[in-house]
Amino acid sequence: MEKEVSLMVKPNVEKKYKGGYPLILKEAIMNLSDVKEEGTLIQLVDQRNSFIGRGYYGRQNKGYGWILTNKEKEIINESFFEKKLSTALQKRTVLFEDNQTTAFRLFNGEGDGIGGLTIDYYDGYFVISWYSEGIYRFKEPIIHSLQRLVEYKAIYQKKRFDTGGKYIEEDDFVTGVRGEFPILVKENGVNFSVYLNEGPMTGVFLDQREVRKTIREKYAKGKTVLNTFSYTGAFSVYAVLGGAKKTTSVDLANRSLAKTEEQFQVNNIDPAKQEIKVMDVFNYFNYAVKRNIKFDMVILDPPSFARSKKRTFSAAKDYKNLLKDAISITNENGMIVASTNYSGFGMEKFKGFIEKAFEEMGERFDIIEQFSLPEDFPYHHAFKEGNYLKVVFIKKRSKS
Ligand code: SAH
């Protein structure tokens, strides 16, 4: 491969990068303008020109590329990629052998050693996400490595490097035999209907596997459940299978109605016995308060940022108020499952929002359980932002 460009880190962040920090940040580099071409191999050096790491240049929504190794002798070539993929595969042996779970993450970006790249597995189908044009330049060696390591029905890809890190709409099929979608995959014995060639999302967020299982096994029985920002209703499906009395799923997107019915149906649940509302969650809260509708369980899983006609929601600014709304329609001794995938704050700050929300509502709570990313979503030791998922099961205490 071509010659590496040397990038020099600024003195104030030298320690951070020597400690293994993998993301190339604009403000950390003296001479970032020396590299222009996406996919250029770069060598990170300190002020004395000594080697710190080696990686590639690739602009994504956060950062300008990733360091892939801190070993001076290690070079980035096809066998490098193959080694990373092979290690990642070995780590998922238990999942591959579990016939009750046929969808999971196979490769989790920098957590598995290659920032900007993820690969998800859906029952013989592989979906590669490229987060920059830079990593996409390594498409050939990466896909060839994957092809040597696994048997596959087909490989699909998502290019997530349009302006602002947006998905590029196109035919996502790469190679193999085209699937007929939806295909049915399993997660802890539950069916999911997934579409691998219909835009950026497939129908299920794989990182919530343990949370869904916990809802089904421990908290749903006999309960009325409100699932907000419900998308295809995955949490609702698990709640019903766990014996919930009734679920109400609320999502603004028109597609969510048919998609949620479909997820119920593939699990032999009659959608007519559940409630599915296509509406703004915040309007739903007002509606429920007016009619004095309350729930035993309220699930909150908003996007980090969302813009609807009337308002914008940002997890950092608005999560506390979202919790307050939820508290107001949760029964005493009921449960709020508060989830966020926003990487800009950590678990402690999230718990701070929870505390504040209950305090301002004059209510008390107990934290019953908490979750972060599951094992197939490992994060990099020097990149804690990669551990973005935070889910807290909160019990609203009774007043008496
Ligand atoms: N909880 C889901 C994933 C949520 S994805 C799951 O487990 O699968 C975020 C969803 O929030 C999207 O489907 C989007 O349509 C919805 N959404 C965003 N803003 C909303 C709002 N104000 N009211 C209702 N839904 C909203």
Side-chain angles (χ1 to χ4, degrees):
M1 282 181 194
E2 75 275 30
K3 205 179 146 336
E4 292 170 346
V5 173
S6 244
L7 293 180
M8 189 176 277
V9 297
K10 292 183 182 166
N12 62 323
V13 287
E14 209 174 281
K15 220 175 126 199
K16 175 169 162 173
Y17 282 94
K18 284 185 173 165
Y21 188 78
L23 182 61
I24 299 167
L25 296 169
K26 187 175 192 175
E27 63 272 19
I29 308 296
M30 319 266 297
N31 58 325
L32 194 62
S33 57
D34 283 359
V35 36
K36 305 220 158 47
E37 180 86 9
E38 288 280 328
T40 303
L41 289 173
I42 53 128
Q43 189 174 127
L44 205 64
V45 297
D46 68 11
Q47 294 285 308
R48 274 160 290 125
N49 250 316
S50 306
F51 177 90
I52 298 178
R54 175 175 286 126
Y56 71 91
Y57 176 79
R59 244 185 118 154
Q60 55 182 84
N61 50 351
K62 35 179 187 191
Y64 283 74
W66 293 90
I67 301 303
L68 303 181
T69 178
N70 296 100
K71 294 184 196 139
E72 191 160 5
K73 294 224 171 77
E74 193 165 42
I75 47 170
I76 313 296
N77 55 14
E78 187 157 333
S79 83
F80 174 88
F81 291 124
E82 185 166 337
K83 212 168 66 202
K84 294 290 177 200
L85 290 180
S86 155
T87 307
L89 278 161
Q90 272 160 31
K91 281 196 198 157
R92 275 81 170 176
T93 307
V94 174
L95 280 165
F96 269 109
E97 286 170 355
D98 177 357
N99 61 11
Q100 292 304 297
T101 297
T102 60
F104 49 88
R105 178 148 292 189
L106 181 66
F107 196 91
N108 194 41
E110 71 284 358
D112 279 301
I114 308 172
L117 170 77
T118 65
I119 307 176
D120 293 323
Y121 177 78
Y122 295 92
D123 197 19
Y125 292 89
F126 293 79
V127 179
I128 304 177
S129 289
W130 311 100
Y131 285 87
S132 69
E133 211 173 320
I135 188 67
Y136 186 65
R137 297 284 167 97
F138 299 98
K139 176 178 174 177
E140 299 268 304
I142 290 172
I143 290 189
H144 288 158
S145 302
L146 183 64
Q147 287 175 307
R148 269 196 301 278
L149 291 167
V150 300
E151 281 178 43
Y152 58 90
K153 293 172 185 159
I155 298 173
Y156 284 79
Q157 68 182 0
K158 308 287 173 192
K159 291 183 190 165
R160 297 175 187 273
F161 51 79
D162 209 355
T163 29
K166 282 227 296 283
Y167 164 81
I168 298 174
E169 190 75 56
E170 61 178 23
D171 179 10
D172 291 341
F173 175 76
V174 180
T175 187
V177 178
R178 279 180 185 271
E180 282 200 27
F181 301 116
I183 55 163
L184 279 191
V185 299
K186 269 191 196 306
E187 181 196 83
N188 293 310
V190 177
N191 290 321
F192 281 123
S193 178
V194 301
Y195 296 78
L196 305 184
N197 204 0
E198 255 189 28
M201 300 194 287
T202 63
V204 55
F205 287 99
L206 299 173
D207 54 3
Q208 297 276 14
R209 184 173 59 243
E210 323 248 287
V211 178
R212 287 190 281 263
K213 184 171 180 221
T214 303
I215 288 174
R216 180 183 70 185
E217 290 183 356
K218 292 165 79 175
Y219 302 111
K221 193 151 198 212
K223 300 292 160 55
T224 54
V225 178
L226 174 65
N227 180 11
T228 64
F229 308 94
S230 54
Y231 181 44
T232 59
F235 287 122
S236 306
V237 168
Y238 269 71
V240 174
L241 296 175
K245 199 154 129 200
K246 191 183 159 194
T247 64
T248 302
S249 306
V250 183
D251 196 293
L252 187 63
N254 285 321
R255 59 164 193 247
S256 66
L257 174 61
K259 294 273 186 198
T260 303
E261 286 176 345
E262 182 182 352
Q263 300 300 14
F264 281 136
Q265 275 155 353
V266 298
N267 287 290
N268 299 317
I269 298 163
D270 181 1
K273 299 209 169 104
Q274 310 299 322
E275 203 167 356
I276 306 168
K277 292 199 168 275
V278 176
M279 71 189 282
D280 191 309
V281 161
F282 299 97
N283 294 340
Y284 184 80
F285 284 133
N286 294 336
Y287 164 91
V289 167
K290 259 189 222 133
R291 284 163 199 243
N292 201 23
I293 302 171
K294 292 198 170 180
F295 296 88
D296 303 322
M297 177 183 270
V298 176
I299 299 165
L300 303 174
D301 185 28
S304 295
F305 299 97
R307 204 162 289 136
S308 64
K309 275 179 217 123
K310 286 201 197 115
R311 55 169 77 72
T312 56
F313 173 86
S314 121
K317 282 203 226 96
D318 305 316
Y319 211 110
K320 186 195 76 186
N321 286 334
L322 177 64
L323 281 158
K324 287 170 76 173
D325 286 334
I327 293 165
S328 68
I329 60 165
T330 302
N331 284 323
E332 287 192 3
N333 292 314
M335 186 83 86
I336 295 173
V337 179
S339 170
T340 179
N341 57 10
Y342 182 57
S343 59
F345 56 74
M347 186 58 107
E348 285 321 300
K349 194 155 177 196
F350 190 40
K351 285 186 179 167
F353 294 155
I354 295 168
E355 229 174 276
K356 208 89 219 182
F358 274 87
E359 192 187 303
E360 288 177 19
M361 292 297 286
E363 297 285 351
R364 301 210 294 161
F365 68 97
D366 296 294
I367 289 180
I368 307 296
E369 307 213 20
Q370 65 186 61
F371 290 84
S372 52
L373 287 171
E375 257 186 323
D376 48 331
F377 286 71
Y379 61 95
H380 187 289
H381 68 93
F383 194 71
K384 300 282 193 284
E385 305 95 295
N387 191 17
Y388 58 84
L389 186 68
K390 299 162 276 291
V391 184
V392 185
F393 284 60
I394 315 153
K395 190 166 172 184
K396 179 177 168 182
R397 282 198 200 162
S398 69
K399 292 251 185 189
S400 49

